[in-house]
Amino acid sequence: MSWLHNSKVQFKIYKGPAAGWGALLSVTHAWLTSEQPIKNIRALLRTNQQGGFDCPGCAWGDSPESGTVKFCENGAKAVNWEATSRKVDAAFFARHSVAQLREQSDYWLEYQGRLTEPMRYDAETDRYVPIDWDAAFALIAGHLQHLESPDQAEFYTSGRASNEAAFLYQLFVRAYGTNNFPDCSNMCHEASGAALNASLGTGKGTVTLEDFQHADAIFVLGQNPGTNHPRMLEPLRDAVQRGAEVVCFNPLKERGLERFQHPQKMSEMLTNRSKPMHTEFFRPALGGDMAVLRGMAKHLLAWERDAQRRGIAGGMDNEFINTQTDGLIAYLAVLDATPWTHIVEQSGLTYAQIEQAARLYSGASNVIFCWAMGITQHHHGVATIQEIVNLQLLGGNVGRLGAGLCPVRGHSNVQGDRTMGINERPTQQFLDRLAETFAFEPPRDSGHNTVEAIGAMLTGSARVFVALGGNFAQATPDSKVTHQALSSCDLTVQISTKLNRSHLMVGKEALILPCLGRTDIDLQATGAQCVTVEDSFSMVHASFGQLEPSSDQMRSEPWIIAGIAEATLGKKPVDWHAMRDDYRLIREAISQTLPGFESFEQRLADRGGFHLPNSASERNWQTSTGKAQFSANVLPVSLIHEKVLASGRVHDLVVQSLRSHDQYNTTIYSLNDRYRGVSGQREVLFVNQKDIDRLGFEAGQKVDLVSLWDDGVDRRVKRFTLLPYDIPQGQAAAYYPEINPLVPLDSYGVGSFTPVSKFIPIRLERSTNEQRPQWVFS
Ligand SMILES: Nc1nc2c(c(=O)[nH]1)N[C@H]1C(S)=C(S)[C@@H](COP(=O)(O)OP(=O)(O)OC[C@H]3O[C@@H](n4cnc5c(=O)[nH]c(N)nc54)[C@H](O)[C@@H]3O)O[C@H]1N2
Ligand SMILES: Nc1nc2c(c(=O)[nH]1)N[C@H]1C(S)=C(S)[C@@H](COP(=O)(O)OP(=O)(O)OC[C@H]3O[C@@H](n4cnc5c(=O)[nH]c(N)nc54)[C@H](O)[C@@H]3O)O[C@H]1N2
Ligand SMILES: [Mo]
């Protein structure tokens, strides 16, 4: 079967490479549908350039050389999506009640255009009505001032907020009195931060872009860069070209990890040739990576022991281990204690495949490990990342050129936001610096992360919810429960660029505060402002908006935060309006507070920005022992959670949620997913034909997905189309956020609180009112 279709869904195997002509066509389409193509082409040429703006897409970094085009297909989509001429204004809200808007899809909601004026929810008419900025700030201040405790308010952040906005926001929230900072990072790379902090004393990756040019082996785990970090394809392809190993671990043969056609290499484009993206591809079980890594380490250990017996050098870096690390003995003990049968069974790979992976590792002098959501969004995500670190420590692969750890971040400034203090569990050191610089006593207790914030809103212990960007209602798990949590608040405030479902899950009162995005010119009292961001490689650089905002009622994020702060706290602890008028004052405050930001303003002029020091990459270990730490975690006995077992039902499949090629998180650009060959629909379940047969269904049939948990709640999404796909048996995949209702709120990672979005045991049920599937196969 090469393709199948009915009136709604089409499926056709995609044979082209990643990027190349397919990407070019797609960019052109995005330009044309933005309704201001000429303006946007000009804007795109300023993407990631000196004096231009930072791409609002992913957090991959760029080399500082100028002149080359530095945006990718999905960056172009992100820019065009933000820079649309369509508007969601007062007239739009007068036409649609909130109840009516709730009936619309996420795709439709965001497609309506940019939010252009501040709006207040009027419960009587169930409509949003205009409000002026001062009245909006007074409403928020009134609510905040009347709470019994500042801990009754939740302050969410999504990862597009600039450093300036994030710093001002956390300063305001802490001066107000709480550390309740749920953020998108809680659902994203939290496990990376937790694991790396405990093991290496830094929460960030240890490599820079330059390291990719010197690596002999690059391991890419649980990541789909062809879609989510397209600018990463070039360094991977270059590595393959120069003979380095690129070793991928992914249950799905993602197109971007297979072949790549360089859109800026004329010879490749004209001859329609493409280059391979990997030298080895392993397809582990969902959640099986920790077992694979443990098996690799077990091989290294066996080879090392053998070498020592024979008096020759083995594959481990003993000098590094002896001088730089701690905890080896305990780790070797768990390696020895983990039986091969357990490893092989859990990994989904064979003993020989794991041995092959270990050989690739030990055969390389310099190794980089990259990973993303396929690793972090698991129950044992932290332990899996610590196993990556363990392996890298055995090989001495941290803190030298061409080697290291690279958690590939998501949102374009999610790493910067954490640096600025968006953290519900800030270090005491950071709080001390704040106290010293701004002469106030910040709250010292831990605040709420995303899962805890939802819990607090549900029980009524949190009453006010403020979001600096993002789409809390859709990005979070257990959608019904989250929607209920938001709706039970006294006040919900969304600072946003585009309409989404979070605006429709209103509290008793609700506000929409329309803000400028990265592409917009940000004009303040002292002139046009720039903001700064930090990429995955800890490079900080400036971003200048280029496009005229679509209304004079939109405001910058710092302007809005300063307005809320001034209305709530007056001029304490800083002159908010002065900072709003001149972002250099915010950067001055940052440079006084945060190590690494000395002479912030001056260093912004450097081409490509500046690099924040990373202690681990200098082999300075800020851990409790002062050494890099081996972690002796036990391999989970079973990946099926005890609460799933306690449901008394046996699962049919384990499903992971992932992104299509035409979405940015909850923002859906179209209903197509080019590389996976799907068009026209997102409610599909990718599943192996053998499983479809085993479970007694037919390809193309509509099914309900029901998740298993011990609390008796019916978590179900309806009428998903079964799509036969090249996926290991027993596994399935579906799109985020469509299947978020299936993730129970208390299914989260140990030590990370990250919702387990990549391992959801489900049963399939025949959808009711079902007609016979009308599929054509050929
Ligand atoms: N265009 C675009 N760019 C984006 C985003 C976007 O939505 N669109 N989102 C941004 C954000 S916030 C983030 S965090 C990143 C996300 O970037 P990714 O992590 O690449 O995103 P996902 O689509 O969640 O893909 C997860 C990948 O991991 C694989 N996987 C799932 N489970 C496992 C497992 O157990 N083991 C292994 N080895 N693999 C597994 C899946 O098959 C899939 O290929 O991208 C960022 N960039
Ligand atoms: N099941 C499942 N759930 C997941 C994931 C998964 O893989 N599976 N991934 C998780 C991950 S990795 C992440 S990062 C989260 C994402 O969670 P969020 O960051 O909360 O979600 P986004 O979809 O990125 O938010 C989109 C909205 O942000 C607003 N916006 C866009 N640009 C700007 C801006 O410049 N300023 C402001 N103020 N607003 C702006 C727009 O209104 C837009 O509608 O979702 C998580 N949820
Ligand atoms: Mo993310």
Side-chain angles (χ1 to χ4, degrees):
M1 175 198 59
S2 65
W3 60 280
L4 62 97
H5 69 85
N6 72 357
S7 54
K8 260 179 119 185
V9 197
Q10 290 217 7
F11 177 64
K12 192 169 197 295
I13 292 167
Y14 186 75
K15 296 206 176 105
W21 286 109
L24 216 58
L25 283 172
S26 161
V27 169
T28 314
H29 178 76
W31 264 326
L32 295 177
T33 50
S34 72
E35 288 168 12
Q36 45 178 23
I38 302 300
K39 220 169 139 189
N40 288 359
I41 288 173
R42 245 185 285 132
L44 269 165
L45 294 174
R46 307 292 296 155
T47 311
N48 295 331
Q49 301 286 350
Q50 192 83 1
F53 57 85
D54 181 72
C55 180
C58 72
W60 189 256
D62 276 301
S63 65
E65 297 103 54
S66 64
T68 53
V69 178
K70 288 179 188 158
F71 64 85
C72 67
E73 174 190 356
N74 280 345
K77 283 184 208 155
V79 169
N80 281 305
W81 195 254
E82 184 168 291
T84 173
S85 62
R86 287 184 292 274
K87 292 179 190 178
V88 171
D89 51 13
F92 172 91
F93 285 111
R95 282 199 302 277
H96 306 280
S97 72
V98 167
Q100 286 164 348
L101 291 172
R102 272 198 216 112
E103 298 300 311
Q104 300 291 349
S105 70
D106 294 332
Y107 173 46
W108 187 92
L109 290 174
E110 277 221 27
Y111 185 78
Q112 302 313 306
R114 287 290 294 271
L115 293 160
T116 52
E117 28 191 323
M119 305 295 292
R120 174 183 67 82
Y121 177 63
D122 176 14
E124 257 172 40
T125 58
D126 189 39
R127 276 183 163 73
Y128 273 102
V129 293
I131 183 173
D132 66 46
W133 281 103
D134 284 341
F137 294 151
L139 182 69
I140 300 170
H143 275 274
L144 291 178
Q145 285 158 352
H146 284 99
L147 292 177
E148 286 147 33
S149 151
D151 293 331
Q152 290 178 314
E154 304 289 349
F155 295 89
Y156 180 68
T157 314
S158 170
R160 275 201 195 166
S162 63
N163 288 338
E164 287 73 6
F167 187 82
L168 213 57
Y169 190 57
Q170 66 81 32
L171 182 60
F172 156 60
V173 171
R174 293 200 164 100
Y176 168 64
T178 182
N179 281 315
N180 284 349
F181 286 107
D183 76 332
C184 68
S185 187
N186 296 144
M187 299 178 272
C188 183
H189 263 295
E190 189 73 56
S192 306
L196 295 175
N197 257 320
S199 299
L200 303 179
T202 175
K204 302 180 185 179
T206 68
V207 297
T208 65
L209 206 47
E210 194 195 349
D211 287 308
F212 283 82
Q213 295 159 15
H214 299 274
D216 305 302
I218 302 169
F219 284 72
V220 181
L221 286 76
Q223 218 201 315
N224 180 20
T227 286
N228 298 312
H229 303 92
R231 283 176 295 142
M232 182 179 176
L233 298 182
E234 195 173 349
L236 290 184
R237 158 202 144 114
D238 290 349
V240 174
Q241 294 281 94
R242 65 180 166 75
E245 302 287 349
V246 173
V247 187
C248 300
F249 289 81
N250 199 313
L252 300 182
K253 285 221 139 192
E254 304 284 26
R255 216 41 325 228
L257 297 171
E258 297 257 84
R259 292 200 76 79
F260 174 61
Q261 186 176 59
H262 200 309
Q264 289 167 39
K265 295 234 164 34
M266 262 310 154
S267 57
E268 266 175 44
M269 292 292 278
L270 291 176
T271 55
N272 210 10
R273 273 179 301 140
S274 59
K275 293 280 177 354
M277 289 302 293
H278 66 262
T279 53
E280 198 67 62
F281 205 113
F282 297 105
R283 305 179 74 179
L286 284 177
D289 303 81
M290 182 176 173
V292 176
L293 294 156
R294 175 134 309 175
M296 289 168 68
K298 238 172 131 72
H299 277 301
L300 286 188
L301 178 60
W303 297 334
E304 177 69 23
R305 282 176 177 153
D306 184 51
Q308 279 182 9
R309 265 194 303 273
R310 294 193 282 135
I312 54 170
M316 290 190 189
D317 186 342
N318 290 309
E319 155 88 29
F320 175 85
I321 293 171
N322 292 335
T323 57
Q324 307 284 332
T325 72
D326 195 45
L328 179 73
I329 305 289
Y331 176 56
L332 296 188
V334 297
L335 275 188
D336 282 328
T338 317
W340 271 111
T341 45
H342 188 186
I343 289 175
V344 170
E345 181 259 327
Q346 193 166 101
S347 70
L349 300 183
T350 62
Y351 178 88
Q353 286 172 318
I354 298 173
E355 183 174 9
Q356 167 66 359
R359 284 210 189 283
L360 292 169
Y361 181 83
S362 72
S365 312
N366 301 315
V367 183
I368 294 177
F369 263 82
C370 303
W371 69 92
M373 298 303 103
I375 297 298
T376 62
Q377 294 176 337
H378 280 287
H379 187 67
H380 58 312
V382 173
T384 305
I385 296 160
Q386 288 187 320
E387 202 66 13
I388 295 177
V389 176
N390 288 338
L391 200 59
Q392 288 288 68
L393 294 181
L394 289 177
N397 275 311
V398 187
R400 62 182 158 78
L401 188 64
L405 297 150
C406 182
V408 182
R409 301 278 163 189
H411 263 302
S412 51
N413 197 39
V414 64
Q415 182 158 322
D417 291 346
R418 270 291 153 94
T419 307
M420 292 298 122
I422 303 296
N423 192 342
E424 77 281 359
R425 287 166 171 78
T427 63
Q428 294 304 318
Q429 211 180 359
F430 173 81
L431 295 176
D432 290 344
R433 294 291 293 240
L434 266 192
E436 223 173 275
T437 314
F438 299 102
F440 75 101
E441 190 40 47
R444 297 278 169 173
D445 295 340
S446 291
H448 294 154
N449 57 34
T450 293
V451 167
E452 292 165 332
I454 296 168
M457 289 188 275
L458 269 181
T459 58
S461 64
R463 318 255 9 123
V464 174
F465 176 84
V466 181
L468 179 58
N471 184 359
F472 192 84
Q474 290 304 83
T476 48
D478 229 349
S479 313
K480 251 193 213 159
V481 165
T482 306
H483 294 175
Q484 201 187 322
L486 286 171
S487 309
S488 60
C489 286
D490 293 335
L491 174 70
T492 50
V493 181
Q494 306 285 345
I495 303 169
S496 321
T497 54
K498 289 248 183 149
L499 184 63
N500 64 44
R501 202 158 301 281
S502 299
H503 304 105
L504 311 178
M505 298 301 156
V506 288
K508 292 187 189 71
E509 297 195 85
L511 290 169
I512 296 176
L513 305 180
C515 69
L516 301 176
R518 204 70 69 67
T519 55
D520 299 311
I521 296 169
D522 181 354
L523 207 55
Q524 300 298 340
T526 58
Q529 306 291 314
C530 76
V531 292
T532 61
V533 292
E534 176 186 339
D535 66 25
S536 267
F537 307 120
S538 308
M539 290 295 298
V540 178
H541 56 269
S543 174
F544 296 83
Q546 301 291 321
L547 297 172
E548 202 61 50
S550 21
S551 115
D552 62 2
Q553 279 300 299
M554 292 149 83
R555 294 289 184 271
S556 77
E557 291 173 335
W559 192 94
I560 296 170
I561 295 158
I564 299 173
E566 169 100 9
T568 311
L569 303 174
K571 285 200 181 315
K572 282 189 208 138
V574 293
D575 181 349
W576 303 101
H577 280 182
M579 290 192 160
R580 170 194 80 180
D581 293 344
D582 186 353
Y583 299 176
R584 284 174 301 186
L585 298 180
I586 309 178
R587 286 191 284 276
E588 176 62 28
I590 293 171
S591 74
Q592 284 168 13
T593 315
L594 298 174
F597 284 89
E598 298 78 14
S599 314
F600 192 178
E601 197 67 41
Q602 293 85 309
R603 282 195 293 159
L604 275 186
D606 296 348
R607 183 162 286 285
F610 62 92
H611 186 241
L612 287 176
N614 179 298
S615 51
S617 73
E618 291 155 16
R619 297 196 168 175
N620 164 7
W621 316 107
Q622 301 280 321
T623 57
S624 53
T625 56
K627 294 270 177 82
Q629 203 64 40
F630 281 100
S631 319
N633 296 308
V634 175
L635 192 65
V637 176
S638 162
L639 294 181
I640 307 297
H641 196 283
E642 58 194 32
K643 294 199 174 184
V644 172
L645 298 174
S647 72
R649 302 178 72 190
V650 179
H651 63 276
D652 290 334
L653 296 163
V654 176
V655 62
Q656 62 149 318
S657 59
L658 40 62
R659 292 154 170 80
S660 82
H661 193 60
D662 267 6
Q663 78 181 80
Y664 195 95
N665 297 341
T666 69
T667 296
I668 313 301
Y669 301 132
S670 89
L671 302 181
N672 305 335
D673 189 1
R674 188 169 79 244
Y675 296 152
R676 299 197 187 98
V678 180
S679 56
Q681 215 208 84
R682 290 176 50 88
E683 271 138 15
V684 293
L685 187 73
F686 297 94
V687 55
N688 192 301
Q689 180 67 52
K690 293 210 172 86
D691 284 321
I692 298 180
D693 297 341
R694 170 177 63 89
L695 298 167
F697 293 96
E698 281 175 50
Q701 196 170 348
K702 296 251 191 279
V703 292
D704 288 6
L705 319 185
V706 183
S707 83
L708 305 182
W709 206 244
D710 73 343
D711 56 6
V713 175
D714 184 40
R715 292 186 182 82
R716 171 187 302 264
V717 292
K718 294 185 180 166
R719 298 185 68 75
F720 272 55
T721 302
L722 288 176
L723 212 59
Y725 198 73
D726 178 13
I727 186 169
Q729 281 181 56
Q731 296 189 21
Y735 296 123
Y736 143 62
E738 279 77 358
I739 63 163
N740 285 40
L742 298 181
V743 183
L745 187 59
D746 54 349
S747 173
Y748 51 74
V750 179
S752 69
F753 276 89
T754 297
V756 179
S757 305
K758 295 288 189 269
F759 195 95
I760 314 164
I762 56 162
R763 283 186 74 85
L764 299 191
E765 290 183 9
R766 231 161 268 275
S767 295
T768 49
N769 306 329
E770 235 226 327
Q771 297 132 9
R772 291 285 303 160
Q774 303 193 337
W775 292 82
V776 181
F777 296 80
S778 66

